[in-house]
Amino acid sequence: MKLVRLLANLGYGSRRQATLLCREGRVTDARGEVLYADDVVAHAQVRVDGEPLDPPQGMLLMLHKPVGYTCSTRDPGRVVYDLLPPRFRLRTPALSTVGRLDRDTSGLLLLTDDGALLHRIIAPRSNLPKVYEARLAQPLRGDEAASFAGGTLLLESETTPLKPARLDVLEPQYVRLTLTEGRYHQVRRMFAAVGNYVESLHRSRVGGLALDGLEAGRWRVLNAIDRRRLFEESG
Ligand code: URA
C-alpha cells in the first residue's frame, strides 16, 4: 500500500494532508530517511515526526469507560471517542465499540476496527461471559438468583427468554451478575423484572479480560496475549 493511503487510513489526515506531511519531510523510515507519498513501505518502518505509527488495521483496544460518556460517534454530549487520540476517529476501517455500555455504566469497553473479530466477540454462540457489578436500590428478595439462572426469564416487550445468568451476592444490595449475551440495557431490565432498580453499574470483565488496574478514562491497545485471554473463558 502506498504511504499516502497508509497514513490516510490511520487517520493522519486526508490524502492531501498526508501528502503534505510527506512533503514537509515529517515522514521518515526508521533510520530517519525522508519518505515520499508514493513509497510503499512496511508499517513498522514508518515514523511520523520520529514516532512509530499507530497500530495497523486489526487494532483491538480496551477502554475503562467512565460514567457520563456515550458509546456513539455522534452525540451532543461526551462520547467514548473523546477519550482516545482524535486520529482514531478518522481511521478507515472505522474503529467501533464492541457492543455498548450505557452512558451511566462504567467499566471495560472493547473497541476494534476488525469487523470479523467484533462479530466473533458479540456472536451469541461465542458465549463470552460479561461480568457486571451492580448496586441496587432495594434489598434482594431472595429468589433472584434462581430466577436469573432458570433460562426462562422474559424481559418486558421481548419474546425470547434470557439465557441463564449467574448472580453472586456480594453485599445485601451489591451483586455480581455474569451474562453470556448482551441485550439492550439487559442488567437494568433484569433487575426491573424482579422489582428492583440498579443505582450504579460497572462492567469488570469480558471473557478472560479484566481492567487490571486500568484507571477510568484510560485505554490500552491489546496484544496477542490479551486476545488469547479474551477467548479463554467462554461460558
Ligand atoms: N446492561 C445494562 O443495563 N447496561 C449496560 O451498559 C450493560 C448491560
Side-chain angles (χ1 to χ4, degrees):
M1 186 189 302
K2 285 191 178 165
L3 186 56
V4 64
R5 179 145 164 238
L6 178 65
L7 292 171
N9 285 354
L10 292 176
Y12 285 83
S14 62
R15 280 175 177 238
R16 217 176 99 86
Q17 290 165 326
T19 306
L20 262 177
L21 267 185
C22 296
R23 284 214 190 116
E24 288 165 357
R26 294 169 59 191
V27 186
T28 62
D29 68 12
R31 291 165 313 169
E33 294 289 322
V34 169
L35 295 171
Y36 295 90
D38 280 349
D39 286 344
V40 176
V41 198
H43 175 281
Q45 291 304 312
V46 182
R47 304 284 180 273
V48 175
D49 296 330
E51 296 293 325
L53 293 180
D54 294 337
Q57 181 185 348
M59 178 167 78
L60 175 66
L61 58 88
M62 170 200 284
L63 170 71
H64 183 163
K65 178 192 168 304
V67 165
Y69 287 78
T70 307
C71 292
S72 157
T73 44
R74 270 171 296 218
D75 190 279
R78 291 176 293 180
V79 296
V80 291
Y81 294 93
D82 296 342
L83 299 164
L84 303 172
R87 269 203 301 276
F88 283 11
R89 230 195 264 226
L90 304 173
R91 287 172 68 108
T92 310
L95 183 65
S96 309
T97 65
V98 179
R100 285 171 178 230
L101 290 176
D102 305 336
R103 192 168 65 85
D104 295 328
T105 301
S106 61
L108 199 168
L109 179 71
L110 297 173
L111 295 100
T112 186
D113 59 1
D114 181 337
L117 177 62
L118 188 149
H119 284 110
R120 186 172 165 215
I121 300 170
I122 63 173
R125 72 171 182 286
S126 80
N127 258 351
L128 275 192
K130 281 148 278 215
V131 180
Y132 295 88
E133 280 85 39
R135 183 146 311 273
L136 305 172
Q138 312 289 336
L140 292 163
R141 300 189 305 217
D143 61 346
E144 293 88 345
S147 166
F148 292 168
T152 54
L153 187 68
L154 265 185
L155 292 179
E156 197 177 295
S157 72
E158 291 198 3
T159 51
T160 316
L162 294 176
K163 285 161 75 174
R166 177 191 167 120
L167 182 73
D168 294 295
V169 181
L170 306 176
E171 293 170 18
Q173 289 176 224
Y174 187 56
V175 294
R176 175 170 298 140
L177 183 62
T178 305
L179 307 180
T180 54
E181 56 187 341
R183 302 198 198 177
Y184 180 67
H185 289 177
Q186 183 167 340
V187 176
R188 296 175 197 278
R189 291 164 73 212
M190 285 172 76
F191 281 101
V194 294
N196 214 319
Y197 177 79
V198 172
E199 285 189 336
S200 72
L201 184 59
H202 176 82
R203 182 159 73 187
S204 56
R205 295 188 84 87
V206 176
L209 282 181
L211 286 166
D212 283 332
L214 188 70
E215 287 173 17
R218 300 293 191 150
W219 58 276
R220 71 177 180 89
V221 174
L222 300 185
N223 58 27
I225 297 168
D226 297 315
R227 286 169 191 242
R228 257 202 313 280
R229 192 169 291 154
L230 169 63
F231 290 107
E232 254 164 26
E233 277 182 34
S234 42

